[in-house]
Amino acid sequence: MKLYCLSGHPTLPCNVLKFKSTTIMLDCGLDMTSTLNFLPLPLVQSPRLSKLPGWVLKDGSTFLDKELKDCSGHVFVDSVPEFCLPEMELIDLSTVDVILISNYHCMMALPYITEHAGFTGTVYATEPTVQIGRLLMEELVNFIERVPKSQSASLWKNKEVQRLLPVPLKDAIEVATWRRCYSMQEVNSALSKIQLVGYSQKIELFGAVQVSPLSSGYVLGSSNWIIQSHYEKVSYVSGSSLLTTHPQPMDQASLKNSDVLILTGLTQIPTANPDGMVGEFCSNLAMTVRNGGNVLVPCYPSGVIYDLLECLYQYIDSAGLSNVPFYFISPVANSSLEFSQIFAEWLCHNKQTKVYLPEPPFPHAELIQTNKLKHYPSIHGDFSNDFKQPCVVFTGHPSLRFGDVVHFMELWGKSSLNTVIFTEPDFSYLDALGPYQPLAMKCVYCPIDTRLNFIQVSKLLKEVQPLHVVCPEQYTQPPPTQSHRTDLMVDCLPPPMSYHRAEVLTLPFKRRYEKIEITPELADSLVPTEMKPGISLATVTAILHTKDNKHVLQLSPPPGDLPGKKRKRVTEDVPELRAIKPLLSGSIPMDQLVQTLEKHGFSDVKVEDTPKGHIVLFQDVETLIRIEEDSTHIMCESDEALRVKLQDLVLKFLQKF
Amino acid sequence: MDSKCSQLLPSVCTVLADSRQPVSDDTCLEKLLDWFKMLTNNGSGLLLLEENPCLTELILTVLRQEEPNPTILSFVLRLAGLLAASESSFQHLQQGEAVRMAFGEAGPLSSALWEDTSVRSGWVQGAHDMLQHPSAFRFLCDSGALDTIFTLQGDRSLFVASAANRLLACMLRFSVQSGHSCPLGTGDSEWPECARRIVSRLEESLRSHSASRANCSLKMLTTVFEQTQEAWTEVLWSSIDGTIKSLLEEESAQAGHSLVDLFLSMARSPVFSCHEGSLWQLVTLALKCLHPTQAGFLALGLLKLEECPQAVKTQGLRILLQPVACVARASSHSSELSGLLDQPPAEGASVESLLSSRSSCISLLCQSLAHLEEIQHLAHPPMDFPHNPLLHATVTVLRVCAGLAVPTCTLGATIGKILIGCSRVQRAALHLLGALSRWANRDVSPEETFDILLVYLRSPDASPTVLKTAFQVTLKWCLSFSETSGSTDGFPWHKQFLRDLMPLLQKRLCSPRWEVRDSTLEFLTLVMKHLKGQEWFRQALSSSEVMALAEGLLDDPESYVRASAVRALGQSSLIASAGSEVPGLDHNGSSNEDSVAARLLGILSSDSEGFPRRAVVGVFIDWLREGHPAARQDPEQFVSQVIQAVKGDLDWEVKVSGLELAGAFAAQCFHRFGFPECPYAADVSSAGEPARLPELLQVFSRVRLFDFLFGALGDCDRPVALKACEILTGVKGKIGTGCGLNEGQGLERQGNASLEEIWKMVAPCASGPLGGDRSRTIPQDPKRALLILEAVDLEELEGALGRSSDHLEKSPWSLLQDILSAGGAPEDNEADCY
C-alpha cells in the first residue's frame, strides 16, 4: 500500500493512495498562495499600481523591469496570477481510478487533473461540495477573466534568473509548473465527471474496495472518507470540525478501528480560538463603524461568511449598528446565499428543525429581507447607486490579488478610519497587504478556522485508536514561529508517519487476508471432522472463481461432466482435478517414534532437539527425519524404499482426514 | 418558659410518648431540642424539670416501652442528656432512674433497637451533652460506657463514629481532671484507670496499620488538643509522639489529612509553644514526608501562626513556593528568580512528578497559588518573604498559561502542554498577582506585570471570568503604584500602560459578550473613582473614545450592562463636574451635566429592568453627597424629581435607594438649617446658630419628602418600610430636639398600633402604594406631618418591622402547636406533605 503525496500544503492536500488494485486520489487542492507574488488585478485603472517602478537588479540590469515591479521594497510579478499545481510527474495521473473530494476548498485543482492529465475515472463528492465548489471556481474564473491582462511574465521563472531575485520570489518552489487559471469550459467539463454521493453511502470500486463519505462538520457537505476492503480499513480525515457551526456534526465513531488514518486539514491557526476571533471581529467592526469608518472583510463567497452573518445578525442591534449597511459582493453572492438555505439535510440539527417550521435555516434571509444585507455581483451597476458609508463590505478574493476587494483596498486604504479585517486563514495577511503599502487603514487579523486543533486531534486519536497515523510533516513539529509550543503538533503513539510534497510513502501495513465466498451447494457437501473440541476441519475440493476482485469457491463438476471433446465450446476452462490426498494432523511423540523405529529394526536412533522441533538421526548418516511444527521431512539418499518405510512408520502417529 | 408553652407541654409530651402516633416530621423534634437547649443553657435544668414533671414522665415512659419508635427514643435520649447536663438536674433525673435507664447497661444498649443508627446517635449525643460534670463522668465510667464508646468509634455511621470520638475526648479530659489537680507525670500508674484505658486504646489504634482506626484516633486526639490546653496534654503527647512518628514515616499517605489537623490543633495550643519540643520535630518531618498537597495545607496553617519556630515557617514557605518555583524555573532563565528557592529541596522530585501529570499538576498549582495568595493577606507575613522573585514566578506561570514562555527543560515543555489555556490556573495566578500588588514599590519594575496583564486583557480567548479577574488585578496594580508614586505625574510606564489600555477598553466595550462589556464598565467605573485625582489618568481618558462608547452602552440590550454603564457615566460626570476634562461628553459646562442627569432620570422612569434603575439612584446618591452640579444647583428640584420617579417604582431596592437619597437630602437640610449634631453630616460648623424649623419644613414640603416617607412607611415590602421608619426616626429625633413638637394636637399617640392601623392613620398624608385610594394626596401641610410624626411610635414600629415575617411561626408555642396538631391528625399531616 503506497501513498503518493502530490501537495505540500497541509490543508489543500492532494494524495494518491494505491490500495489493493485501485488507485484513489484523495482531494485535489490548489495552492493559491503563489498569487501573493503577483501584483493585484484592479477593476478600474489604478494610477498607483500602474506607476510602480520596475525592479532593477543590484548590478543595475533592467531586463526584468517589465515583469517585476517594486512596491515599498517588495517585488511583485506584473502578470496574470498563476497557481502552484499539485505534483504532476510523481505518478501517471491517467492511472487514477477515482478522485474522492472532501470539501469544496479541496477541489479547486480538479480541472487541471481531469482535463490535462489523461484522467478517465470518476470523481465522487457530495452535492453541496459540487455546487459550492462550482461557485468558488466560477468566482475565481470571473475575477481573473474580467480583468484581461496582456502581459504574461515568464523570464523571471528561469532558474538562473530566479536565483538573483529577492525573497520570497527566490524561494518560490517549482515556478516552472505554475499555471494560469482554467476556463469556465474546463470547469464545466471537470464537474461533469463528478458523481454525487450522500453521507455513509457505500460505493464499490471494482469489487476490491468500498469507499464511503462521512460527515466531517467543517463546511456544507464536507466529508471524511473511509476506504476499506474486507480486512483493511483506511480513514482519510480532511478538513473536520467539532465546533457547533452550521454543518452536520462530525461522524467520529465510523473512523474507529482503522489500520491507517491519513490526517490532513487541521486548523491553520492553532493558537486562535474561533469563538474568540468572532468576538474580536465583532468588536473591531463595531469600533470602526462607530468612529465613522468602513469595514472591509476579504472572504470566500461561502463557508465562514454564513457564520459571520449569523453572529452579526445577533450582534448588530445590541451594538447599535442596525442602520449600517452590509454589502456582500461576489459574482456568485446571490447563488451562495440561496444555496445555503436549500441544503437542509446537510445542516446541523438546529438548522434542520427550522426548515420544518418552516423558516429559513440561516438568519441572513432576514437580513436581506430587512435590507440590512444587500448583495451584488460586482461593484459595477446597482451597487454604485446604493452604496452608502460607513458600511461593511464582504467580498473576495482573500488573497487581495483579484476580485472586487482590490478596488476597496485602493479606495479605503488611505484613511485610518477604515479597517480591513482578515478572517480567512489561507493567506498571510502581511503578505496579502504587500502591494498596498504604504497603507493608512487599520488592519485586523481575526483568522477564523474552525478545523480541528491539536487538542481535539489528540482526543480524536485516543477515541478512534488507529494503528498508524500519516500526516503532513508540518504537523509533526511545532510551528516555525513558535518552536517552544510542543503542544501544537500531533502527539500519538506510535508517532505519526509524515510526508512532504513529492514523497512516496510505503504505508506500514501488509495485507494478509482475502475473503472468499463458498457457494451453498459446496458448503452443503462439506463433512467437518472435529479435531479438538470446538475445532472442526473439512477438506474442500472446489473451483476458485475470481471475477471483479470477488472470489467464490464453487462445487467442482462431477467427473462425468469434465469437459470432453463434445464440449469444446465451453468458454470457461475448468481445471483438471487431481486425486485428493488425505490431510494429516496431530503431533508425533518422539519417545514412541524411537521405540517404533527400534522395533522395526532401526538401531542406534538418536533424537536431537532443534529450535523448531527435532531431528531423528539414524546410524546411516545419510538418513534423517526432520520434524518441525508444520512439516516433516524424511531424507535418505536415493533409497526410496527406506523413505516409504519410514514414512509409513511416521504416518502411524498422525490422523488422516 | 412562658405560661402558654407550659400549658401546652404536657399534651405534647403525651403525644410524643404515645408510641401509636408516628412522628412524621423529625425536624420538629430537632427544633424542640434546640429550644430545650436554650432553656437549660443558663443552668436552670432543675427548675425546668420541677416545673414540668411531664418531661421526666415522657423520658421514663418512652424508656419503659417495649417497642418505642426509634426516632422518639433517640429524641428522648438526647433530651435526657440535655436535661442531665447540670449536677442538680442529673441528680433529679437519677432519682427516677431516668439516667440509668437511658445510658446504663440495661438501657437501649441492650435492646434490639440499638441496631438503629438514630438510637445509637441519640445515645452518643445525649451522653456527650450530659458529660458536663463529674457525676455524669462517674456514672458513665461505672456503667461500662467506655467499651460502648470504643465500639461506636468504628460505627458504620460516620456521624455516630465522629460523635463517639468527641465523647471519648471528653471522657479523657474528665478522667485526667478528676484524678489530679496538678500536671501528671509520665508514669502509667499516675493516670486514672479510665484515661489509661483510653490512651492504651489510642496507641493500639495508631499502631494497628489500619487507616480507618488510625484516622479515628488522630481525630480524637485533635479534638482533645483543640478543647484542652492544659499541661497534661503535653504528658499525653510525650507518651504517643513516638507512635505518631512511626505513623508519619510509614503510613503518611493514608493518615495525611488527620495528621495535618492534629499538628495544627497542637501548634495552636500554648502548651506546645516551646520551640524545642518534639512536636516541632515531627512537624518538620511531616513537611518532608506528607504528600505535597497535604504538606501545603500544613504549611499554610503554620505560616498563619504567630507562635511557630522561624525554621519551621521557613520550611513551610519553601513547601508552598515549590510548585510555583518549579514551574517558573522550567519555563524561565531569568535571574530574577534567585531568592525564590535557590536550592530545590530534596523532596522536589515528587513535586516535579506531580507537575508532569495533567490531573495533579493543575490542582497542585492552583492550591499552591491560592495558599500563597492567602499569605499575602496576613497581618504578619513571614519574614524574608521573597516578594519580588515570587512576583516574577507568578508572571512566568501566567506566561506559561498564555503559551508565551519558552521551556528550559523537558519538564517545562510538559507543563506547558498542560497549562496552556488552563483558566483555573490563570485565575489562581491572577489572584496571587493581585495580592502581590500590596508589595509594589519603587524597587520593582512593574513592566513585566503590566505586560502580562495586557496580554490577558487583550487575549480574545480569555474566558469572561479570567478577564474580569485580570481587570480587578489591573486596578489593584494601578492603585498600588499611584499610591506609591504619590505624584500626579505617575511613572513613565504608567502612561504607556494606559496608552495601551485605552484602545483595549474601547474594543472590550464593543465585545459581543455582555459579561465582557460589563466587566470593562465595572473596571472603568472603579478606575475613574480611584484615579480621578491623577492628572495623567484624566489625560489618558480624554485622549480616547472610551467614554463615548460607554455612553452608547446605556442602550445595551443587557440590563446588567446598562446598569454598569449608568455607574460609569455617573462617575465620569462627577469627574467632569469637578472641573476636569473628560471626553465623550461634549463638555459645555453644567448644561452637559444636566443632559446626563436628564438621561439618567429617563432611565429611572422608563427602564423595564430593575438593575439600571437601582444604578441610577445609586449614582444620584453619590452626586448628592459629592456635590454634582445637577444636585448642587437646585437640590430641591433634583431630589423632588428623583423621589417622584422612585415613588411608583415596583422594585423595592430602587425604593430603598430612593429613601437613602431622601435621608441624605434630609441630613443636608438639617445641616443647612442649623440643626446640631447631624448624624449624616460631618461638618457641624453651623451648630451654634438657632435651628430654622419653618424653613426646613417648607423645603421638605416642596420636595414632598414626608409624602414619600410616609408612603414608604406603609409599603408592602418590609425593607422599604423599615428604611422609611429609620429615616423618620432620625428626622423625628432631630426635629424633636430642634423645636417644640409637643405643641402638636389632635392625634393620639399610637404606641401599640399595628402596621395596618398606623397606615390608616398615615395614609391620608401620603399617596403610597398601600391603602385604598392611591391617587389621593393631601396638601403638603407640614404641621399635620409633624403631628403624625409625633403620634406614631416609630421605635416600636421599627422593632415590629425588624422582626422577620415568620417570627410567629418560629416561636416555641407554634412549634408545640405543630407537634400537637400533627399528633392529633396524622392523616391530615401526611396529606399536608403534598
Side-chain angles (χ1 to χ4, degrees):
Chain A
M1 188 185 288
K2 285 192 171 174
L3 188 72
Y4 296 77
C5 310
L6 312 187
S7 160
H9 198 301
T11 45
L12 296 168
C14 183
N15 297 318
V16 175
L17 177 72
K18 285 212 168 198
F19 181 32
K20 290 185 80 172
S21 52
T22 58
T23 305
I24 302 168
M25 178 177 276
L26 305 169
D27 281 331
C28 44
L30 181 64
D31 186 353
M32 294 197 229
T33 50
S34 55
T35 58
L36 294 174
N37 295 297
F38 292 79
L39 274 186
L41 298 179
L43 275 179
V44 285
Q45 176 71 22
S46 160
R48 186 185 70 85
L49 288 173
S50 53
K51 282 181 191 162
L52 287 176
W55 185 71
V56 183
L57 268 74
K58 277 181 190 165
D59 63 4
S61 307
T62 57
F63 69 99
L64 283 169
D65 67 347
K66 291 277 182 290
E67 290 197 355
L68 304 180
K69 301 289 179 188
D70 191 330
C71 177
S72 304
H74 294 93
V75 180
F76 296 94
V77 182
D78 188 10
S79 167
V80 182
E82 293 176 340
F83 307 119
C84 179
L85 272 49
E87 197 67 44
M88 306 288 261
E89 307 297 324
L90 196 65
I91 185 171
D92 179 359
L93 294 176
S94 68
T95 64
V96 171
D97 297 314
V98 292
I99 302 177
L100 308 180
I101 303 293
S102 311
N103 60 66
Y104 49 75
H105 286 297
C106 291
M107 61 184 280
M108 297 299 279
L110 197 61
Y112 294 114
I113 309 282
T114 57
E115 307 309 303
H116 300 287
F119 175 74
T120 54
T122 312
V123 184
Y124 291 101
T126 62
E127 192 183 357
T129 302
V130 177
Q131 297 300 353
I132 299 174
R134 177 192 294 277
L135 296 184
L136 290 184
M137 290 178 175
E138 207 178 301
E139 187 195 57
L140 186 67
V141 173
N142 187 307
F143 280 163
I144 291 177
E145 286 186 352
R146 76 182 176 185
V147 191
K149 193 150 186 153
S150 54
Q151 189 179 349
S152 178
S154 57
L155 198 55
W156 70 277
K157 291 185 182 177
N158 184 306
K159 277 188 180 171
E160 297 303 315
V161 177
Q162 195 192 356
R163 218 182 300 155
L164 305 172
L165 303 180
V167 183
L169 283 175
K170 187 181 174 183
D171 300 331
I173 53 161
E174 307 202 23
V175 289
T177 65
W178 289 10
R179 291 285 174 274
R180 284 180 167 210
C181 187
Y182 33 72
S183 67
M184 211 48 222
Q185 196 182 0
E186 287 167 320
V187 169
N188 287 331
S189 173
L191 296 181
S192 69
K193 296 183 173 71
I194 299 182
Q195 193 168 322
L196 300 182
V197 288
Y199 287 147
S200 302
Q201 183 182 334
K202 293 181 169 59
I203 304 135
E204 286 280 341
L205 299 185
F206 318 115
V209 295
Q210 203 179 54
V211 294
S212 180
L214 307 171
S215 172
S216 78
Y218 170 45
V219 287
L220 273 177
S222 66
S223 20
N224 293 320
W225 289 86
I226 299 289
I227 304 145
Q228 60 187 339
S229 64
H230 292 297
Y231 294 100
E232 298 90 12
K233 180 172 174 182
V234 176
S235 296
Y236 173 57
V237 174
S238 187
S240 304
S241 177
L242 292 170
L243 299 179
T244 314
T245 54
H246 59 271
Q248 251 192 47
M250 180 182 178
D251 177 356
Q252 296 183 68
S254 305
L255 299 171
K256 281 185 180 170
N257 304 318
S258 304
D259 296 288
V260 174
L261 187 141
I262 302 167
L263 182 66
T264 66
L266 303 185
T267 174
Q268 298 189 70
I269 319 288
T271 49
N273 177 349
D275 284 340
M277 285 299 138
V278 169
E280 288 285 288
F281 171 79
C282 291
S283 306
N284 284 297
L285 185 144
M287 269 207 318
T288 306
V289 174
R290 281 184 190 166
N291 288 335
N294 302 292
V295 176
L296 177 63
V297 188
C299 63
Y300 293 115
S302 178
V304 173
I305 186 171
Y306 303 142
D307 298 316
L308 286 179
L309 289 174
E310 187 159 354
C311 289
L312 288 172
Y313 169 78
Q314 294 161 357
Y315 177 67
I316 50 176
D317 287 336
S318 69
L321 302 176
S322 311
N323 299 323
V324 177
F326 288 76
Y327 300 118
F328 176 21
I329 304 169
S330 161
V332 297
N334 187 30
S335 311
S336 168
L337 292 173
E338 286 183 359
F339 270 142
S340 64
Q341 306 285 21
I342 59 165
F343 289 127
E345 60 175 298
W346 306 89
L347 293 172
C348 63
H349 180 71
N350 276 350
K351 296 215 179 295
Q352 277 193 26
T353 47
K354 281 194 169 184
V355 179
Y356 296 107
L357 288 178
E359 279 176 16
F362 286 95
H364 56 237
E366 197 184 319
L367 288 176
I368 295 169
Q369 269 176 6
T370 53
N371 262 340
K372 287 176 182 167
L373 173 67
K374 295 179 181 178
H375 55 87
Y376 304 89
S378 86
I379 52 167
H380 302 301
D382 290 345
F383 173 71
S384 41
N385 300 327
D386 298 347
F387 181 49
K388 281 180 193 156
Q389 300 188 76
C391 64
V392 181
V393 171
F394 294 88
T395 187
H397 186 271
S399 65
L400 305 191
R401 292 303 179 269
F402 36 81
D404 302 89
V405 73
V406 177
H407 177 71
F408 286 101
M409 286 301 294
E410 292 290 326
L411 186 70
W412 289 343
K414 298 175 200 80
S415 166
S416 62
L417 283 178
N418 303 323
T419 305
V420 52
I421 307 181
F422 292 87
T423 57
E424 300 288 354
D426 286 352
F427 301 93
S428 149
Y429 80 105
L430 289 174
D431 291 343
L433 290 170
Y436 298 96
Q437 300 300 338
L439 194 68
M441 80 193 293
K442 284 196 281 288
C443 303
V444 178
Y445 187 50
C446 297
I448 298 167
D449 195 335
T450 58
R451 285 171 282 203
L452 297 177
N453 62 32
F454 289 98
I455 298 170
Q456 292 165 333
V457 164
S458 174
K459 281 185 188 158
L460 175 74
L461 294 180
K462 271 184 193 151
E463 179 85 17
V464 304
Q465 299 268 337
L467 287 182
H468 302 281
V469 175
V470 180
C471 65
E473 62 180 357
Q474 290 91 331
Y475 297 161
T476 57
Q477 57 218 10
T481 50
Q482 289 169 298
S483 56
H484 66 285
R485 293 290 298 266
T486 50
D487 56 318
L488 303 181
M489 53 192 272
V490 174
D491 184 15
C492 64
L493 278 176
M497 281 185 81
S498 67
Y499 67 79
H500 55 77
R501 187 181 164 103
E503 188 175 6
V504 182
L505 286 188
T506 304
L507 299 180
F509 171 57
K510 284 236 174 345
R511 293 181 46 226
R512 295 176 61 192
Y513 298 105
E514 190 63 86
K515 186 174 177 179
I516 299 175
E517 287 179 7
I518 300 180
T519 58
E521 297 78 28
L522 178 61
D524 198 35
S525 70
L526 300 182
V527 185
T529 310
E530 191 167 47
M531 305 302 295
K532 285 182 192 173
I535 297 179
S536 297
L537 295 181
T539 53
V540 182
T541 305
I543 293 170
L544 179 65
H545 184 91
T546 296
K547 186 181 176 186
D548 290 345
N549 291 305
K550 280 200 168 37
H551 314 291
V552 183
L553 278 177
Q554 293 175 337
L555 203 57
S556 55
D561 286 357
L562 282 174
K565 289 177 183 174
K566 288 181 185 172
R567 299 188 65 184
K568 274 183 181 172
R569 290 188 182 177
V570 171
T571 48
E572 291 180 21
D573 290 337
V574 178
E576 185 187 345
L577 286 179
R578 290 182 189 165
I580 302 164
K581 286 184 180 176
L583 297 174
L584 304 171
S585 70
S587 60
I588 303 165
M590 294 312 296
D591 295 345
Q592 291 177 31
L593 177 65
V594 172
Q595 282 173 16
T596 308
L597 289 170
E598 284 173 350
K599 205 185 285 177
H600 285 81
F602 296 99
S603 57
D604 206 15
V605 178
K606 286 179 186 165
V607 178
E608 264 183 27
D609 291 343
T610 65
K612 290 182 176 175
H614 310 277
I615 297 175
V616 182
L617 300 165
F618 294 82
Q619 247 182 336
D620 174 9
V621 288
E622 301 293 328
T623 307
L624 61 85
I625 306 174
R626 196 169 70 218
I627 300 168
E628 291 178 355
E629 194 183 5
D630 53 359
S631 64
T632 301
H633 289 89
I634 298 166
M635 298 173 197
C636 40
E637 191 65 25
S638 63
D639 186 348
E640 182 60 12
L642 176 61
R643 193 191 67 80
V644 172
K645 189 179 176 182
L646 288 175
Q647 177 189 293
D648 290 345
L649 290 175
V650 169
L651 283 176
K652 278 182 186 173
F653 294 100
L654 297 173
Q655 285 176 287
K656 298 186 186 71
F657 69 100
Chain B
M1 190 187 301
D2 60 33
S3 58
K4 276 163 77 182
C5 292
S6 302
Q7 284 167 11
L8 274 183
L9 194 57
S11 319
V12 170
C13 287
T14 312
V15 168
L16 292 174
D18 186 352
S19 60
R20 290 167 303 172
Q21 294 193 349
V23 175
S24 53
D25 181 12
D26 60 357
T27 54
C28 282
L29 299 179
E30 290 293 333
K31 286 178 189 167
L32 205 54
L33 283 170
D34 288 343
W35 180 48
F36 284 125
K37 194 167 194 172
M38 194 192 74
L39 290 174
T40 54
N41 255 352
N42 51 6
S44 59
L46 181 63
L47 190 67
L48 186 69
L49 283 170
E50 284 171 350
E51 285 180 353
N52 301 286
C54 59
L55 288 173
T56 317
E57 196 57 36
L58 167 68
I59 293 168
L60 289 170
T61 311
V62 173
L63 289 172
R64 279 182 192 137
Q65 282 168 1
E66 285 187 10
E67 286 184 16
N69 181 323
T71 314
I72 297 291
L73 180 59
S74 171
F75 164 76
V76 160
L77 288 168
R78 290 176 65 190
L79 179 64
L82 267 180
L83 293 173
S86 74
E87 185 89 39
S88 55
S89 55
F90 174 83
Q91 298 302 344
H92 178 88
L93 281 172
Q94 189 60 319
Q95 279 168 16
E97 295 285 293
V99 176
R100 192 188 57 80
M101 286 173 71
F103 302 106
E105 284 168 298
L109 259 174
S110 54
S111 83
L113 279 174
W114 190 249
E115 283 304 301
D116 195 299
T117 308
S118 65
V119 174
R120 296 198 303 281
S121 172
W123 189 91
V124 179
Q125 289 186 55
H128 189 258
D129 286 341
M130 182 175 73
L131 192 53
Q132 308 288 330
H133 47 84
S135 301
F137 169 69
R138 274 196 302 279
F139 168 80
L140 287 173
C141 277
D142 298 344
S143 61
L146 203 55
D147 289 323
T148 312
I149 303 170
F150 284 155
T151 317
L152 290 178
Q153 266 193 302
D155 199 276
R156 60 178 181 275
S157 157
L158 287 177
F159 294 105
V160 175
S162 163
N165 244 341
R166 284 199 300 276
L167 177 58
L168 201 63
C170 212
M171 290 286 281
L172 179 64
R173 182 159 52 90
F174 263 98
S175 173
V176 178
Q177 285 168 345
S178 66
H180 297 267
S181 55
C182 57
L184 296 157
T186 51
D188 242 8
S189 59
E190 291 178 54
W191 287 75
E193 165 67 14
C194 175
R196 241 185 333 184
R197 284 188 63 199
I198 295 174
V199 173
S200 135
R201 167 93 180 179
L202 193 71
E203 288 178 331
E204 189 192 312
S205 302
L206 291 174
R207 278 197 289 263
S208 66
H209 299 293
S210 151
S212 61
R213 288 189 65 190
N215 275 313
C216 190
S217 294
L218 288 171
K219 279 177 190 158
M220 188 219 136
L221 275 172
T222 307
T223 314
V224 170
F225 290 117
E226 270 171 2
Q227 291 180 347
T228 316
Q229 298 179 346
E230 294 171 22
W232 64 267
T233 51
E234 198 176 3
V235 181
L236 172 66
W237 173 245
S238 66
S239 67
I240 54 163
D241 60 352
T243 319
I244 299 282
K245 188 180 178 196
S246 320
L247 191 69
L248 189 58
E249 286 168 339
E250 291 159 21
E251 292 166 59
S252 61
Q254 287 82 28
H257 275 299
S258 307
L259 282 166
V260 169
D261 290 343
L262 174 68
F263 290 140
L264 288 178
S265 72
M266 292 175 69
R268 287 184 202 112
S269 167
V271 176
F272 299 97
S273 59
C274 169
H275 293 183
E276 308 306 320
S278 65
L279 168 67
W280 300 111
Q281 289 170 12
L282 282 199
V283 166
T284 310
L285 182 66
L287 287 172
K288 275 185 195 158
C289 297
L290 290 176
H291 185 273
T293 315
Q294 292 160 349
F297 279 108
L298 180 59
L300 176 68
L302 294 168
L303 285 165
K304 284 180 180 173
L305 294 174
E306 284 185 37
E307 293 298 322
C308 176
Q310 190 55 42
V312 176
K313 278 194 174 183
T314 307
Q315 194 192 350
L317 187 59
R318 285 168 70 86
I319 298 284
L320 292 189
L321 288 172
Q322 211 173 313
V324 179
C326 194
V327 175
R329 285 195 194 288
S331 315
S332 169
H333 283 295
S334 173
S335 57
E336 289 179 48
L337 286 171
S338 63
L340 185 63
L341 273 183
D342 292 331
Q343 289 296 319
E347 59 275 17
S350 71
V351 170
E352 284 182 9
S353 71
L354 285 172
L355 290 175
S356 331
S357 145
R358 178 174 288 275
S359 54
S360 53
C361 174
I362 294 172
S363 58
L364 178 67
L365 201 55
C366 284
Q367 184 199 296
S368 164
L369 290 164
H371 287 343
L372 287 168
E373 187 208 344
E374 215 175 321
I375 290 177
Q376 308 311 311
H377 301 301
L378 291 180
H380 302 285
M383 281 167 62
D384 305 326
F385 192 89
H387 293 111
N388 293 346
L390 179 60
L391 176 64
H392 182 70
T394 311
V395 169
T396 308
V397 171
L398 285 167
R399 286 176 57 81
V400 173
C401 292
L404 300 173
V406 180
T408 58
C409 57
T410 333
L411 177 67
T414 312
I415 292 173
K417 276 186 193 176
I418 296 169
L419 294 188
I420 289 171
C422 174
S423 53
R424 261 185 75 195
V425 176
Q426 288 175 350
R427 274 199 305 274
L430 281 169
H431 280 304
L432 175 58
L433 191 67
L436 286 169
S437 67
R438 183 181 167 192
W439 312 105
N441 54 49
R442 280 181 179 277
D443 302 336
V444 187
S445 163
E447 219 169 328
E448 68 166 9
T449 307
F450 283 131
D451 280 351
I452 194 71
L453 284 171
L454 277 177
V455 166
Y456 276 79
L457 294 174
R458 224 175 245 149
S459 165
D461 297 336
S463 76
T465 50
V466 170
L467 186 73
K468 191 180 171 82
T469 317
F471 271 130
Q472 289 165 347
V473 175
T474 305
L475 182 68
K476 281 186 181 176
W477 276 90
C478 280
L479 297 189
S480 161
F481 267 95
S482 59
E483 282 162 15
T484 315
S485 73
S487 75
T488 50
D489 296 337
F491 295 123
W493 29 257
H494 240 125
K495 292 176 183 168
Q496 182 55 45
F497 176 67
L498 282 163
R499 261 199 294 274
D500 293 340
L501 188 66
M502 290 303 164
L504 196 151
L505 291 180
Q506 280 173 245
K507 197 169 72 180
R508 291 299 190 186
L509 288 175
C510 295
S511 169
R513 290 184 294 183
W514 72 264
E515 302 97 318
V516 173
R517 299 196 296 275
D518 194 47
S519 305
T520 313
L521 284 168
E522 277 177 11
F523 169 75
L524 190 60
T525 310
L526 288 171
V527 88
M528 282 194 288
K529 189 172 179 179
H530 291 287
L531 297 184
K532 61 187 169 194
Q534 306 280 357
E535 186 55 35
W536 49 266
F537 169 71
R538 286 202 296 262
Q539 278 172 6
L541 197 61
S542 65
S543 57
S544 76
E545 296 291 322
V546 169
M547 282 320 300
L549 288 170
E551 194 175 353
L553 293 179
L554 288 176
D555 297 322
D556 199 276
E558 187 58 52
S559 63
Y560 297 114
V561 179
R562 291 202 299 278
S564 297
V566 164
R567 286 187 210 102
L569 200 66
Q571 196 61 47
S572 86
S573 184
L574 258 180
I575 300 181
S577 68
S580 308
E581 186 69 14
V582 171
L585 298 173
D586 301 323
H587 286 281
N588 301 317
S590 62
S591 65
N592 182 61
E593 307 316 327
D594 290 344
S595 76
V596 175
R599 184 99 196 257
L600 296 189
L601 265 173
I603 291 171
L604 180 61
S605 51
S606 62
D607 201 301
S608 58
E609 301 272 349
F611 299 109
R613 302 202 305 270
R614 289 177 207 167
V616 170
V617 186
V619 164
F620 285 158
I621 293 171
D622 287 346
W623 282 12
L624 186 68
R625 286 182 176 154
E626 297 191 31
H628 184 275
R632 193 179 55 215
Q633 284 161 6
D634 188 354
E636 289 175 31
Q637 167 74 7
F638 175 71
V639 172
S640 171
Q641 279 177 333
V642 179
I643 282 177
Q644 291 312 310
V646 165
K647 209 158 76 171
D649 205 296
L650 293 176
D651 187 307
W652 68 267
E653 287 193 50
V654 172
K655 281 191 205 161
V656 169
S657 301
L659 287 165
E660 202 178 329
L661 177 91
F665 174 70
Q668 287 184 351
C669 290
F670 284 129
H671 180 65
R672 180 147 55 99
F673 293 112
F675 285 78
E677 295 171 29
C678 178
Y680 295 102
D683 183 16
V684 287
S685 56
S686 59
E689 296 170 19
R692 293 167 283 157
L693 181 63
E695 290 171 61
L696 174 89
L697 291 177
Q698 282 304 317
V699 170
F700 282 4
S701 173
R702 283 198 295 273
V703 173
R704 300 171 74 91
L705 191 77
F706 283 121
D707 183 3
F708 178 50
L709 291 175
F710 283 134
L713 196 60
D715 199 282
C716 53
D717 283 311
R718 216 162 37 84
V720 177
L722 193 61
K723 185 77 188 172
C725 193
E726 278 171 23
I727 294 170
L728 280 171
T729 308
V731 170
K732 188 177 174 180
K734 197 65 65 200
I735 294 175
T737 56
C739 73
L741 190 65
N742 296 334
E743 294 164 12
Q745 53 186 337
L747 280 168
E748 288 178 18
R749 193 178 167 81
Q750 303 285 316
N752 293 320
S754 72
L755 201 60
E756 189 66 23
E757 286 163 346
I758 289 168
W759 169 248
K760 278 179 191 160
M761 188 178 71
V762 167
C765 309
S767 55
L770 197 76
D773 186 3
R774 294 179 184 190
S775 62
R776 185 179 51 165
T777 55
I778 61 153
Q780 286 288 300
D781 180 0
K783 282 193 176 170
R784 178 140 182 95
L786 289 185
L787 287 176
I788 296 169
L789 202 57
E790 169 63 14
V792 177
D793 187 342
L794 288 169
E795 274 176 31
E796 181 155 339
L797 188 59
E798 197 172 344
L801 288 166
R803 280 198 289 274
S804 66
S805 55
D806 62 345
H807 71 277
L808 276 181
E809 284 69 28
K810 272 187 173 173
S811 71
W813 183 80
S814 165
L815 175 65
L816 295 174
Q817 281 283 17
D818 283 352
I819 297 174
L820 262 185
S821 56
E827 285 174 13
D828 289 353
N829 196 38
E830 276 169 29
D832 279 352
C833 293
Y834 296 94

